[in-house]
Amino acid sequence: MTGSGSERQTEPSVHQLRLFVALSEDPHFGRTAARLFITQSALSQQIRDLEQRLRIRLFERTSRTVALTSAGQALLPEARAAVDAVARVRRIAAAQARQLSGELVVGTIGAEAAMPTTRAVLRALLERHPGITVRVVSLNFADHLAALVRQEVDVMFLRPPVPAGIETRRLATEPRVACLPATDPLADATAVTLAQLAGRTVVDMPAQVPRVWWDFWAVDPRPDGSPVRYGPVVTDMESLLHAVADSEAMCFLPAAARDLFPRPGIRYVDVTDLFPCSSAVAWLAARRDEPTVAAVREAAHSAVRSPLDAV
């Protein structure tokens, strides 16, 4: 039997639970409303309505502060799980719809869309499967691996390493270089060592970025075991380059950055004892045999002559 209309009206909506979770993460109505692109009054009304439906008070409010009540704290894990579950349903449904329609969503980071190997793989894919529609989306540092896990993209052209559950096919290898402020005493050097760069502040990534990825790119720890000192958090290539140009920090980038990202106030310097990096195409291990993903794997195998298996 279905519930009565009055019973259904007391059930919280997914939208309300999503707002509750967002406000609990940043307990400030103004900031949360701005982040969610809604008005503060609309957010307040939705939270009040949610409290009425649940018949509990979720937040203690004063003129200065907003804090979760004990009931709100007890509800939060379940609310977050419900919101995540609905999001997973939508992502999986979208992935299935793309598969049925033959659409492939390709994620890229930085300048990977412009790399010759990326173009070669996509060209080989369309030659073999002209019926596939390819949509390329550019993602930032914070989202690129998460988008693959959330199935918002089917495959991703990126720079390893990657966390567990993701497979990659290496496409090319190149050196890494130090990206230094032009004011750095080593900026005009022909080459440097990691020891010479010791103690310099390195840009950092948002908390949601897997550390296995950024530890590699920050070279943390250094060969002598010393930890890296981190500076400003950056979310994309432009904010990274801006932080370096403003002498706030340094970073390490693929050597191709010399040609792809020349900027005033920045110098690229070879590092003699730094391991090289690779470009790769990646996919979720659980999706490796889906038709569109398998087609990309085959295209990568034919486009890249080096007999490297997925790792």
Side-chain angles (χ1 to χ4, degrees):
M1 291 180 60
T2 59
S4 68
S6 61
E7 288 174 340
R8 286 195 297 271
Q9 289 175 2
T10 64
E11 294 178 356
S13 69
V14 175
H15 176 62
Q16 288 174 330
L17 292 177
R18 189 178 296 113
L19 296 179
F20 165 58
V21 171
L23 184 58
S24 70
E25 293 172 346
D26 183 8
H28 187 285
F29 277 91
R31 288 196 302 267
T32 299
R35 180 160 56 90
L36 298 175
F37 300 101
I38 61 175
T39 64
Q40 183 172 335
S41 61
L43 174 61
S44 297
Q45 179 58 49
Q46 288 292 330
I47 295 298
R48 282 196 300 270
D49 187 59
L50 177 60
E51 290 176 324
Q52 291 171 2
R53 294 187 182 206
L54 295 174
R55 299 180 182 177
I56 58 174
R57 194 166 187 81
L58 299 171
F59 294 95
E60 292 290 352
R61 308 164 178 84
T62 70
S63 60
R64 292 175 176 264
T65 63
V66 177
L68 277 171
T69 63
S70 58
Q73 291 172 349
L75 181 67
L76 181 58
E78 301 303 326
R80 184 177 284 116
V83 171
D84 290 344
V86 171
R88 283 196 300 273
V89 168
R90 289 176 175 170
R91 289 193 295 268
I92 293 171
Q96 292 299 311
R98 292 198 303 269
Q99 182 174 327
L100 293 173
S101 66
E103 181 186 44
L104 178 77
V105 181
V106 176
T108 65
I109 181 173
E112 294 306 300
M115 299 301 290
T117 49
T118 300
R119 296 199 302 270
V121 171
L122 294 181
R123 185 166 55 248
L125 172 70
L126 294 176
E127 287 174 354
R128 288 166 170 256
H129 304 279
I132 289 181
T133 301
V134 175
R135 177 159 59 93
V136 179
V137 295
S138 179
L139 298 166
N140 61 31
F141 298 137
D143 293 337
H144 77 294
L145 289 167
L148 192 59
V149 172
R150 294 192 301 250
Q151 299 186 38
E152 294 169 356
V153 299
D154 300 306
V155 297
M156 183 83 200
F157 287 91
L158 46 63
R159 297 282 173 155
V162 295
I166 297 175
E167 296 178 342
T168 63
R169 166 79 189 205
R170 199 182 323 172
L171 301 176
T173 300
E174 64 179 304
R176 284 183 287 172
V177 297
C179 179
L180 299 172
T183 55
D184 191 287
L186 296 175
D188 294 323
T190 303
V192 297
T193 65
L194 287 171
Q196 289 177 284
L197 297 170
R200 281 170 170 76
T201 301
V202 177
V203 297
D204 203 2
M205 290 288 137
Q208 61 265 42
V209 173
R211 291 313 300 187
V212 68
W213 184 69
W214 193 238
D215 283 350
F216 171 82
W217 283 99
V219 196
D220 188 9
R222 295 297 163 85
D224 63 359
S226 61
V228 168
R229 183 177 64 195
Y230 289 103
V233 173
V234 298
T235 58
D236 54 29
M237 186 60 70
E238 288 305 319
S239 61
L240 178 150
L241 295 172
H242 180 77
V244 176
D246 276 2
S247 301
E248 297 177 9
M250 63 154 293
C251 64
F252 298 100
L253 293 174
R258 275 196 172 103
D259 298 321
L260 296 170
F261 301 110
R263 293 290 190 279
I266 286 176
R267 300 289 186 273
Y268 295 101
V269 181
D270 292 337
V271 185
T272 58
D273 55 349
L274 185 59
F275 283 115
C277 64
S278 299
S279 60
V281 59
W283 56 87
L284 278 183
R287 299 186 62 194
R288 72 185 327 266
D289 294 322
E290 290 183 8
T292 50
V293 175
V296 174
R297 291 171 47 224
E298 294 168 0
H301 182 76
S302 66
V304 180
R305 300 191 180 277
S306 175
L308 295 170
D309 295 328
V311 295

